[in-house]
């Protein structure tokens, strides 16, 4: 399959250079309403929906995903907007990949706010932290004994109370009012073992698309 027949909408979940090391494709900015169907009409055979706009612009519509599927286009979703739409449209043939997709599909996560962040409009570098990543890092830090149960609850409560553009670990830790030991423990965990679920799922999605493209050759 030619690389231009694979369109991937990618933004803050994964940097372009890392993506291109996994998959040759036509990489486009986070999708807005109409972009996915346009890619299908232009001849895409596989569309990877990873990042998409919402809140500030109209998001990718369910109908355009369904129309692309009707046209025989394989649509794979993960990480952010892609995980949301894949969880909603899995029964219609959209394929979801990764942990965030699974959490939405199983009803563990229900709000768009979990994957929301702000990003640099030129580089697409994330400028805030998605709540889904905070949850995972709090869970892992608690599991490793870096923080206690009370502090874990404080961190999650603080992160949830902040509007998504203001969610950074500095702001969250400040708002959580942790004692010295738990504050140092969480900071040490973030420095040494911090996870980025959106990035991990984006890489999984690209690997899956690569596999699909190779099978179709």
């Amino acid at each position: 399959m030619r690389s231009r027949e694979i369109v991937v909408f990618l933004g803050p979940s994964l940097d372009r250079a890392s993506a291109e090391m996994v998959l040759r494709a036509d990489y486009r900015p986070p999708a807005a309403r109409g972009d996915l169907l346009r890619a299908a009409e232009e001849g895409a055979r596989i569309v990877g929906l990873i990042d998409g706009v919402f809140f500030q612009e109209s998001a990718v519509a369910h109908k355009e995903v369904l129309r692309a599927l009707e046209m025989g286009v394989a649509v794979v979703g993960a990480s952010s907007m892609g995980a949301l739409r894949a969880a909603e449209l899995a029964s219609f043939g959209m394929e979801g990949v990764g942990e965030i997709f699974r959490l939405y599909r199983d009803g563990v996560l229900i709000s768009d706010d979990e994957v929301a962040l702000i990003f640099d409009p030129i580089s697409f570098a994330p400028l805030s932290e998605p709540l889904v990543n905070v949850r995972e890092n709090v869970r892992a830090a608690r599991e490793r004994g870096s923080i206690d149960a009370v502090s874990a609850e404080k961190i999650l409560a603080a992160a949830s109370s902040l509007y998504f553009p203001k969610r950074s670990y500095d702001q969250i830790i400040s708002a959580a009012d942790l004692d010295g030991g738990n504050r140092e423990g969480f900071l040490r965990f973030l420095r040494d073992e911090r996870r980025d679920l959106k990035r991990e799922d984006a890489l999984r999605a690209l690997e899956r698309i690569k596999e699909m493209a190779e099978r179709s050759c």
Side-chain angles (χ1 to χ4, degrees), residues 148-170:
D148 60 26
V150 172
S151 296
E153 290 179 5
K154 283 184 174 181
I155 295 168
L156 288 178
S160 300
S161 71
L162 291 168
Y163 188 43
F164 76 89
K166 296 184 180 298
R167 263 184 214 132
S168 67
Y169 281 111
D170 286 344

Side-chain angles (χ1 to χ4, degrees), residues 10 13-14 50 78-79 197-206:
L10 182 68
S13 291
L14 179 67
I50 294 175
S79 298
L197 281 186
K198 293 182 73 169
R199 176 184 174 84
E200 293 170 19
D201 282 1
L203 287 168
R204 290 190 186 102
L206 297 181

Side-chain angles (χ1 to χ4, degrees), residues 11 17 21 24 37 45 50 54 81 94-95 100 125 136 138 142 152 164 183 193 201:
M21 290 179 68
R24 292 184 61 194
L37 181 56
R45 295 172 60 191
I50 294 175
F54 51 119
M81 175 59 71
M94 183 172 178
E95 180 171 333
I100 298 172
E136 173 57 24
V138 168
R142 176 75 186 100
F164 76 89
R183 183 177 186 279
E193 301 182 68
D201 282 1

Side-chain angles (χ1 to χ4, degrees), residues 87 101-109:
F101 158 71
R102 185 189 67 76
L103 292 169
Y104 275 117
R105 182 198 62 192
D106 295 348
V108 178
L109 301 180

